[in-house]
Amino acid sequence: MQLIWSEVAGRYRGSFAGFLWSFINPLFSLVMYTFVFGVVFKARWGFSTENTFDFALVLFAGLIVHGLLSECISRAPFLILGNPGYVKQVVFPLEILPVVVLGASLLHVAISFLLLIVVWSIAHEGVTLAAAFIPLLILPLSLIAVGVGWFIAAATVYFRDLAQLVTFISSGLLFFSPIFYPVSSVPEPFRAFLEFNPLTYVIERVRATLIGGEIPELKGYLIYFLISAAVAWFGYAWFQKTRTGFADVI
């Protein structure tokens, strides 16, 4: 927890507002999306009780989910390469570095969702109890984020080009996830590819709980959770298998 707090504090060190930026940043983003998509473009998702700002709110929910995975994989290539001093220390648990990034990212995700739920409650005179399931939906995505983080952090030590590829992967996840559009609007032949995106399930279920008050279906959740756990296990196993060569390569 101390390392996670240091990671969060380090991001805002030297700034006047400090930790308040954790609230200001998502608030500014929400205002910006609301103005552009809700006021200027008057975009709509098509659900029955939709008001002027709902497109921006639903879009914001997707961006929060994407931000969690994007931050973890974007930081991963530099976690080992950027800390050669830790590699030389035999006693330092290198595997904790992706966990620290995940912890800091989860804090910002929690603040963003809290802000979203407050604004949604104001716009719709309340929020359904199904919104309480959002943390459970974020849990398996966190396993994927840390698993991929372990894999990329270790693999980049040996394959430096991976750091460049991660930038494209993060951008690709933004546009090939149902963030700016619902899955139902994607032509049928392409939907199968979208289902392989680890963000699709979480984004769709988060929106269903927030908009329709739907409780996630248990079977689908368990399948997603088991896949997420397998990704985390593979990432950790890869990290532990390759870490013995870090000191020789860096």
Side-chain angles (χ1 to χ4, degrees), residues 136 139-140 143 220-230:
L136 286 179
L139 175 60
L143 291 175
Y221 180 80
L222 288 178
I223 293 174
Y224 185 70
F225 189 92
L226 290 174
I227 294 174
S228 303

PDB file of all heavy atoms in Angstrom, residues 136 139-140 143 220-230:
ATOM      1  N   LEU A 136     -17.319  -5.680  -8.735  1.00  0.00           N
ATOM      2  CA  LEU A 136     -17.124  -7.096  -9.066  1.00  0.00           C
ATOM      3  C   LEU A 136     -16.770  -7.269 -10.535  1.00  0.00           C
ATOM      4  O   LEU A 136     -16.028  -8.187 -10.896  1.00  0.00           O
ATOM      5  CB  LEU A 136     -18.398  -7.889  -8.741  1.00  0.00           C
ATOM      6  CG  LEU A 136     -18.681  -8.141  -7.255  1.00  0.00           C
ATOM      7  CD1 LEU A 136     -19.987  -8.910  -7.094  1.00  0.00           C
ATOM      8  CD2 LEU A 136     -17.523  -8.915  -6.622  1.00  0.00           C
ATOM      9  N   LEU A 139     -13.057  -6.433 -11.009  1.00  0.00           N
ATOM     10  CA  LEU A 139     -12.106  -7.391 -10.424  1.00  0.00           C
ATOM     11  C   LEU A 139     -11.434  -8.289 -11.473  1.00  0.00           C
ATOM     12  O   LEU A 139     -10.194  -8.357 -11.530  1.00  0.00           O
ATOM     13  CB  LEU A 139     -12.809  -8.232  -9.361  1.00  0.00           C
ATOM     14  CG  LEU A 139     -11.974  -9.356  -8.730  1.00  0.00           C
ATOM     15  CD1 LEU A 139     -10.747  -8.781  -8.039  1.00  0.00           C
ATOM     16  CD2 LEU A 139     -12.819 -10.169  -7.742  1.00  0.00           C
ATOM     17  N   PRO A 140     -12.181  -9.000 -12.323  1.00  0.00           N
ATOM     18  CA  PRO A 140     -11.491  -9.846 -13.315  1.00  0.00           C
ATOM     19  C   PRO A 140     -10.684  -9.044 -14.326  1.00  0.00           C
ATOM     20  O   PRO A 140      -9.629  -9.511 -14.779  1.00  0.00           O
ATOM     21  CB  PRO A 140     -12.649 -10.604 -13.996  1.00  0.00           C
ATOM     22  CG  PRO A 140     -13.871  -9.837 -13.685  1.00  0.00           C
ATOM     23  CD  PRO A 140     -13.636  -9.177 -12.369  1.00  0.00           C
ATOM     24  N   LEU A 143      -7.350  -8.546 -12.933  1.00  0.00           N
ATOM     25  CA  LEU A 143      -6.482  -9.720 -13.088  1.00  0.00           C
ATOM     26  C   LEU A 143      -5.838  -9.735 -14.471  1.00  0.00           C
ATOM     27  O   LEU A 143      -4.650 -10.041 -14.622  1.00  0.00           O
ATOM     28  CB  LEU A 143      -7.294 -11.001 -12.866  1.00  0.00           C
ATOM     29  CG  LEU A 143      -7.790 -11.254 -11.440  1.00  0.00           C
ATOM     30  CD1 LEU A 143      -8.685 -12.497 -11.401  1.00  0.00           C
ATOM     31  CD2 LEU A 143      -6.618 -11.428 -10.480  1.00  0.00           C
ATOM     32  N   GLY A 220     -21.835 -16.274 -17.270  1.00  0.00           N
ATOM     33  CA  GLY A 220     -20.941 -15.463 -18.092  1.00  0.00           C
ATOM     34  C   GLY A 220     -19.837 -14.833 -17.261  1.00  0.00           C
ATOM     35  O   GLY A 220     -18.689 -14.755 -17.700  1.00  0.00           O
ATOM     36  N   TYR A 221     -20.202 -14.400 -16.043  1.00  0.00           N
ATOM     37  CA  TYR A 221     -19.203 -13.781 -15.170  1.00  0.00           C
ATOM     38  C   TYR A 221     -18.127 -14.781 -14.761  1.00  0.00           C
ATOM     39  O   TYR A 221     -16.937 -14.473 -14.762  1.00  0.00           O
ATOM     40  CB  TYR A 221     -19.883 -13.198 -13.930  1.00  0.00           C
ATOM     41  CG  TYR A 221     -18.923 -12.546 -12.971  1.00  0.00           C
ATOM     42  CD1 TYR A 221     -18.451 -11.260 -13.210  1.00  0.00           C
ATOM     43  CD2 TYR A 221     -18.456 -13.218 -11.835  1.00  0.00           C
ATOM     44  CE1 TYR A 221     -17.563 -10.655 -12.341  1.00  0.00           C
ATOM     45  CE2 TYR A 221     -17.566 -12.626 -10.964  1.00  0.00           C
ATOM     46  CZ  TYR A 221     -17.118 -11.342 -11.217  1.00  0.00           C
ATOM     47  OH  TYR A 221     -16.223 -10.748 -10.356  1.00  0.00           O
ATOM     48  N   LEU A 222     -18.551 -15.996 -14.407  1.00  0.00           N
ATOM     49  CA  LEU A 222     -17.581 -17.011 -13.970  1.00  0.00           C
ATOM     50  C   LEU A 222     -16.625 -17.388 -15.099  1.00  0.00           C
ATOM     51  O   LEU A 222     -15.428 -17.581 -14.875  1.00  0.00           O
ATOM     52  CB  LEU A 222     -18.318 -18.249 -13.458  1.00  0.00           C
ATOM     53  CG  LEU A 222     -19.019 -18.092 -12.105  1.00  0.00           C
ATOM     54  CD1 LEU A 222     -19.756 -19.372 -11.737  1.00  0.00           C
ATOM     55  CD2 LEU A 222     -18.010 -17.720 -11.011  1.00  0.00           C
ATOM     56  N   ILE A 223     -17.166 -17.500 -16.315  1.00  0.00           N
ATOM     57  CA  ILE A 223     -16.293 -17.806 -17.468  1.00  0.00           C
ATOM     58  C   ILE A 223     -15.262 -16.703 -17.657  1.00  0.00           C
ATOM     59  O   ILE A 223     -14.065 -16.961 -17.835  1.00  0.00           O
ATOM     60  CB  ILE A 223     -17.141 -17.991 -18.744  1.00  0.00           C
ATOM     61  CG1 ILE A 223     -18.002 -19.248 -18.636  1.00  0.00           C
ATOM     62  CG2 ILE A 223     -16.243 -18.054 -19.983  1.00  0.00           C
ATOM     63  CD1 ILE A 223     -18.979 -19.429 -19.783  1.00  0.00           C
ATOM     64  N   TYR A 224     -15.723 -15.458 -17.603  1.00  0.00           N
ATOM     65  CA  TYR A 224     -14.809 -14.321 -17.772  1.00  0.00           C
ATOM     66  C   TYR A 224     -13.777 -14.291 -16.641  1.00  0.00           C
ATOM     67  O   TYR A 224     -12.595 -14.031 -16.872  1.00  0.00           O
ATOM     68  CB  TYR A 224     -15.610 -13.024 -17.801  1.00  0.00           C
ATOM     69  CG  TYR A 224     -14.784 -11.789 -18.082  1.00  0.00           C
ATOM     70  CD1 TYR A 224     -14.230 -11.566 -19.340  1.00  0.00           C
ATOM     71  CD2 TYR A 224     -14.554 -10.845 -17.084  1.00  0.00           C
ATOM     72  CE1 TYR A 224     -13.477 -10.446 -19.596  1.00  0.00           C
ATOM     73  CE2 TYR A 224     -13.797  -9.721 -17.340  1.00  0.00           C
ATOM     74  CZ  TYR A 224     -13.265  -9.518 -18.591  1.00  0.00           C
ATOM     75  OH  TYR A 224     -12.508  -8.404 -18.843  1.00  0.00           O
ATOM     76  N   PHE A 225     -14.230 -14.607 -15.423  1.00  0.00           N
ATOM     77  CA  PHE A 225     -13.320 -14.591 -14.273  1.00  0.00           C
ATOM     78  C   PHE A 225     -12.243 -15.664 -14.420  1.00  0.00           C
ATOM     79  O   PHE A 225     -11.064 -15.421 -14.145  1.00  0.00           O
ATOM     80  CB  PHE A 225     -14.108 -14.802 -12.980  1.00  0.00           C
ATOM     81  CG  PHE A 225     -13.295 -14.588 -11.739  1.00  0.00           C
ATOM     82  CD1 PHE A 225     -13.254 -13.340 -11.128  1.00  0.00           C
ATOM     83  CD2 PHE A 225     -12.561 -15.622 -11.182  1.00  0.00           C
ATOM     84  CE1 PHE A 225     -12.487 -13.123  -9.987  1.00  0.00           C
ATOM     85  CE2 PHE A 225     -11.786 -15.425 -10.051  1.00  0.00           C
ATOM     86  CZ  PHE A 225     -11.760 -14.176  -9.450  1.00  0.00           C
ATOM     87  N   LEU A 226     -12.637 -16.860 -14.843  1.00  0.00           N
ATOM     88  CA  LEU A 226     -11.662 -17.943 -14.998  1.00  0.00           C
ATOM     89  C   LEU A 226     -10.641 -17.622 -16.085  1.00  0.00           C
ATOM     90  O   LEU A 226      -9.444 -17.898 -15.934  1.00  0.00           O
ATOM     91  CB  LEU A 226     -12.398 -19.250 -15.320  1.00  0.00           C
ATOM     92  CG  LEU A 226     -13.212 -19.849 -14.165  1.00  0.00           C
ATOM     93  CD1 LEU A 226     -14.006 -21.067 -14.643  1.00  0.00           C
ATOM     94  CD2 LEU A 226     -12.302 -20.231 -13.005  1.00  0.00           C
ATOM     95  N   ILE A 227     -11.119 -17.033 -17.186  1.00  0.00           N
ATOM     96  CA  ILE A 227     -10.180 -16.624 -18.244  1.00  0.00           C
ATOM     97  C   ILE A 227      -9.223 -15.560 -17.713  1.00  0.00           C
ATOM     98  O   ILE A 227      -8.013 -15.600 -17.972  1.00  0.00           O
ATOM     99  CB  ILE A 227     -10.954 -16.099 -19.474  1.00  0.00           C
ATOM    100  CG1 ILE A 227     -11.756 -17.236 -20.114  1.00  0.00           C
ATOM    101  CG2 ILE A 227      -9.998 -15.480 -20.490  1.00  0.00           C
ATOM    102  CD1 ILE A 227     -12.660 -16.786 -21.247  1.00  0.00           C
ATOM    103  N   SER A 228      -9.750 -14.624 -16.949  1.00  0.00           N
ATOM    104  CA  SER A 228      -8.917 -13.558 -16.379  1.00  0.00           C
ATOM    105  C   SER A 228      -7.867 -14.138 -15.438  1.00  0.00           C
ATOM    106  O   SER A 228      -6.700 -13.726 -15.462  1.00  0.00           O
ATOM    107  CB  SER A 228      -9.796 -12.561 -15.624  1.00  0.00           C
ATOM    108  OG  SER A 228     -10.787 -12.017 -16.455  1.00  0.00           O
ATOM    109  N   ALA A 229      -8.284 -15.093 -14.596  1.00  0.00           N
ATOM    110  CA  ALA A 229      -7.341 -15.726 -13.671  1.00  0.00           C
ATOM    111  C   ALA A 229      -6.247 -16.473 -14.442  1.00  0.00           C
ATOM    112  O   ALA A 229      -5.072 -16.471 -14.035  1.00  0.00           O
ATOM    113  CB  ALA A 229      -8.088 -16.687 -12.739  1.00  0.00           C
ATOM    114  N   ALA A 230      -6.624 -17.107 -15.568  1.00  0.00           N
ATOM    115  CA  ALA A 230      -5.633 -17.825 -16.384  1.00  0.00           C
ATOM    116  C   ALA A 230      -4.626 -16.852 -16.990  1.00  0.00           C
ATOM    117  O   ALA A 230      -3.424 -17.139 -17.047  1.00  0.00           O
ATOM    118  CB  ALA A 230      -6.351 -18.607 -17.486  1.00  0.00           C
TER     119      ALA A 230
END
